[in-house]
Amino acid sequence: MSIKKNYFYNNILLITQYIVPLIVFPYVSRVLGIEKIGILNWIDNTINYFIIISTLGLTLTGVREVSKVKNDKVELSKVFSELIILHTVITLMIVIIYMIVLLNNDKFIENKNIFFIGITKIVFNIFLIEWFFKGLEDFKYITNRSIAIKLIYVILILIFVKNENDYTVYYIITCLTYVVNSVVNIVYAKKYILFQLNNINIKRHFRSYTTIGLYIVLTSMYTTFNVTFLGFVSTEASVGSYTTALKLYSIILGLFSALNSVLIPKLSYLITEREDSLFKDLINKSMNFIITMSFPIIFCGIALAPQIINIIAGPGFERSIVCFKVILPLIFIVGIAQILSNQILIPINKDKQLAYISFIGAFIGVTLNILLVRVYKEIGTALVVVVSEICVTVMLYYLCYQYTKIKLPFVQIIYNIILSIPYFLIAYLVKSAFIDALYVLIISIVLSLIYFLLIQVYIIKNKIIISQITSISSKTFA
């Protein structure tokens, strides 16, 4: 399937990833309140950390290894069987560690019922196998399955979560969707493979599985672990404030992650076939996309943060506004970092170098967490993430330049930053004319979109934007 078709399906998936949180989160935040949201997010984040450790590098190495053998059913079955057995063994070890930690920590014991429910997420993560379908580039299936299950999820939340005492019910439904996704995936996978226990070699995957896994686990020390740390040294309200801002940022970042998901298998294949010029061309297009889209979103998001938080989260989440403003620049920083790591270094097998960088990033993150979070709470956590990601991105860029001579287009970046400053003026003028948060948000977005299109077409002369507008116009008026 072509990149355009895959990206089309990912965009549909992305739309549902926008719509579902925009339906569920405003409802749940108002029903459960900031403290219950904080407790649930802290627990779920802690459980997700165990999932990260159990999965290690499978989410990336799985895509890479499957994409190499996707046209050979025998070898594909063998690779799938080896990876899922390896994942199962490590997950069982992690479940044992999880239980020991759970039963020997007072704060965990306080919420042991929800932590026990969360074990289902860790176990069924074995069968989620998103890496398998991404390696096959079967994004049509991923999209259709995800939309159907998300629709059921929304309906269940609206029916069964009625007051703040239903926070356990909310988490059960959340875990249930994880289980259903996993069961559907493993059944559908039989279309492509035959699971086998004979003639397999787990050892050949162990090095990349653990090396890239080390990179992911260490990276999570300043992205995922920081929420767990915040929960230990601060209040549920602080966790709720930070995770609310983080959730909104994550929804936006999904736009760029969708492109990553599509390109990783394609780039791995191009490296295997030694198509260097096409490889670099796709990287340059990715960078252009990030630069074009991220700065308008960052500037508009900072200018309209109070309105966004008020509309999405509701009253009681005012402390999320500053956090949201602090972490919004990560849209550009992490977008570039994903290109450098996922689209360049992983396809060219620089796993060990990624591990070194992540170790330094983890050290910076943990140190800053200890120094800042006890004093500055949720804002300190936001600052830790931003500083850590900047340091890691700088190191990734240096490494990529050493191996590929690929450069960031700094002139284009500065140009886009300067041309994004008027988004502040647009938001200020709209705020001066209107009081209602929804009116301010809608009118500001419409005017900002008009300004964005004008500068992209007539000032920057962005070929991608112009071609898209031309294509839409020709179809509309044909």
Side-chain angles (χ1 to χ4, degrees):
M1 190 176 288
S2 68
I3 290 177
K4 286 185 178 180
K5 286 186 178 180
N6 284 334
Y7 192 57
F8 167 76
Y9 283 114
N10 261 270
N11 278 332
I12 294 176
L13 180 61
L14 180 65
I15 291 170
T16 63
Q17 289 173 339
Y18 271 104
I19 293 174
V20 170
L22 290 176
I23 294 172
V24 172
F25 186 72
Y27 174 78
V28 169
S29 64
R30 286 165 172 80
V31 171
L32 300 183
I34 190 168
E35 290 195 359
K36 288 293 190 292
I37 289 290
I39 292 170
L40 286 176
N41 285 342
W42 177 72
I43 292 171
D44 193 55
N45 190 86
T46 303
I47 290 167
N48 287 339
Y49 197 69
F50 281 93
I51 290 175
I52 289 171
I53 297 172
S54 67
T55 306
L56 289 175
L58 183 60
T59 52
L60 296 175
T61 56
V63 174
R64 184 174 68 190
E65 296 305 312
V66 169
S67 67
K68 291 177 182 177
V69 297
K70 62 184 178 181
N71 296 321
D72 183 343
K73 187 171 182 178
V74 173
E75 189 62 27
L76 180 64
S77 296
K78 185 178 179 181
V79 167
F80 174 84
S81 301
E82 291 167 345
L83 289 173
I84 204 165
I85 290 171
L86 181 59
H87 190 196
T88 301
V89 172
I90 293 177
T91 298
L92 292 176
M93 294 168 58
I94 294 302
V95 168
I96 294 170
I97 296 171
Y98 176 86
M99 292 299 297
I100 293 171
V101 173
L102 174 58
L103 298 173
N104 289 277
N105 185 283
D106 292 338
K107 189 150 187 175
F108 287 175
I109 291 173
E110 287 176 18
N111 302 283
K112 64 180 180 180
N113 291 338
I114 301 178
F115 273 109
F116 277 124
I117 294 167
I119 293 175
T120 58
K121 283 186 69 175
I122 301 175
V123 173
F124 277 89
N125 183 58
I126 297 170
F127 310 107
L128 194 59
I129 58 172
E130 293 288 283
W131 48 269
F132 177 70
F133 297 110
K134 288 178 181 178
L136 292 176
E137 299 184 71
D138 194 350
F139 292 95
K140 181 178 180 180
Y141 161 73
I142 295 173
T143 302
N144 291 338
R145 182 219 63 215
S146 181
I147 291 173
I149 294 175
K150 278 183 168 63
L151 180 61
I152 296 170
Y153 170 72
V154 171
I155 293 170
L156 291 175
I157 293 294
L158 296 177
I159 291 174
F160 293 105
V161 181
K162 295 297 184 183
N163 57 64
E164 65 175 14
N165 295 322
D166 292 331
Y167 69 100
T168 302
V169 176
Y170 168 68
Y171 197 64
I172 290 172
I173 295 171
T174 301
C175 291
L176 186 61
T177 59
Y178 214 83
V179 172
V180 173
N181 267 310
S182 301
V183 171
V184 172
N185 278 357
I186 206 71
V187 171
Y188 185 75
K190 293 179 181 179
K191 173 182 175 182
Y192 295 101
I193 55 93
L194 291 172
F195 181 75
Q196 61 188 68
L197 291 172
N198 299 323
N199 191 31
I200 59 173
N201 180 14
I202 296 175
K203 289 183 180 179
R204 64 173 174 150
H205 303 292
F206 189 77
R207 183 174 180 179
S208 62
Y209 186 93
T210 52
T211 305
I212 293 182
L214 180 62
Y215 161 69
I216 293 171
V217 170
L218 289 173
T219 299
S220 69
M221 293 295 288
Y222 54 87
T223 57
T224 304
F225 176 76
N226 59 1
V227 178
T228 302
F229 184 79
L230 177 63
F232 275 112
V233 302
S234 189
T235 63
E236 285 84 4
S238 289
V239 176
S241 298
Y242 174 72
T243 53
T244 295
L246 188 67
K247 186 180 291 289
L248 295 177
Y249 151 76
S250 299
I251 292 171
I252 299 170
L253 186 66
L255 176 69
F256 308 113
S257 298
L259 184 63
N260 260 324
S261 298
V262 170
L263 286 179
I264 289 174
K266 183 66 67 176
L267 291 167
S268 297
Y269 178 77
L270 291 175
I271 289 295
T272 303
E273 298 297 315
R274 300 185 181 277
E275 296 281 355
D276 294 341
S277 60
L278 186 54
F279 175 84
K280 290 184 177 181
D281 182 56
L282 286 175
I283 296 298
N284 289 331
K285 286 180 179 178
S286 294
M287 287 187 178
N288 182 54
F289 175 79
I290 297 292
I291 294 166
T292 299
M293 300 302 297
S294 62
F295 291 114
I297 294 172
I298 292 168
F299 279 74
C300 287
I302 292 173
L304 298 168
Q307 288 73 27
I308 294 170
I309 297 295
N310 179 265
I311 292 168
I312 301 299
F317 287 82
E318 289 77 15
R319 287 165 61 181
S320 298
I321 295 171
V322 176
C323 290
F324 187 57
K325 289 181 178 181
V326 171
I327 63 178
L328 266 175
L330 288 177
I331 293 170
F332 170 72
I333 297 164
V334 173
I336 292 297
Q338 286 181 345
I339 293 173
L340 299 175
S341 60
N342 297 0
Q343 295 185 26
I344 299 177
L345 294 175
I346 287 176
I348 64 174
N349 296 308
K350 298 302 176 184
D351 304 347
K352 185 184 293 186
Q353 289 80 356
L354 278 174
Y356 290 145
I357 289 175
S358 62
F359 177 79
I360 298 171
F363 177 78
I364 293 169
V366 171
T367 304
L368 291 176
N369 264 301
I370 294 169
L371 293 175
L372 298 178
V373 175
R374 291 181 186 274
V375 179
Y376 299 105
K377 300 179 181 179
E378 66 271 14
I379 296 174
T381 302
L383 287 170
V384 169
V385 177
V386 173
V387 174
S388 301
E389 288 286 8
I390 289 172
C391 294
V392 168
T393 302
V394 170
M395 290 186 285
L396 287 172
Y397 178 62
Y398 174 78
L399 195 62
C400 285
Y401 181 74
Q402 291 291 106
Y403 287 110
T404 65
K405 302 302 178 184
I406 291 175
K407 295 182 180 180
L408 280 173
F410 290 104
V411 174
Q412 184 186 355
I413 291 170
I414 294 170
Y415 199 34
N416 274 269
I417 291 174
I418 294 171
L419 289 173
S420 294
I421 294 174
Y423 291 114
F424 283 132
L425 178 61
I426 292 171
Y428 174 78
L429 292 174
V430 175
K431 287 180 185 180
S432 301
F434 299 93
I435 298 176
D436 186 270
L438 185 59
Y439 286 158
V440 170
L441 189 61
I442 292 173
I443 295 170
S444 297
I445 289 174
V446 171
L447 293 177
S448 297
L449 181 59
I450 293 170
Y451 172 71
F452 171 78
L453 293 174
L454 288 174
I455 64 169
Q456 292 297 324
V457 173
Y458 296 107
I459 298 178
I460 296 178
K461 301 185 187 303
N462 191 311
K463 293 180 181 179
I464 295 176
I465 300 294
I466 293 171
S467 65
Q468 289 298 316
I469 293 173
T470 303
S471 176
I472 293 170
S473 299
S474 62
K475 290 178 182 178
T476 303
F477 299 104

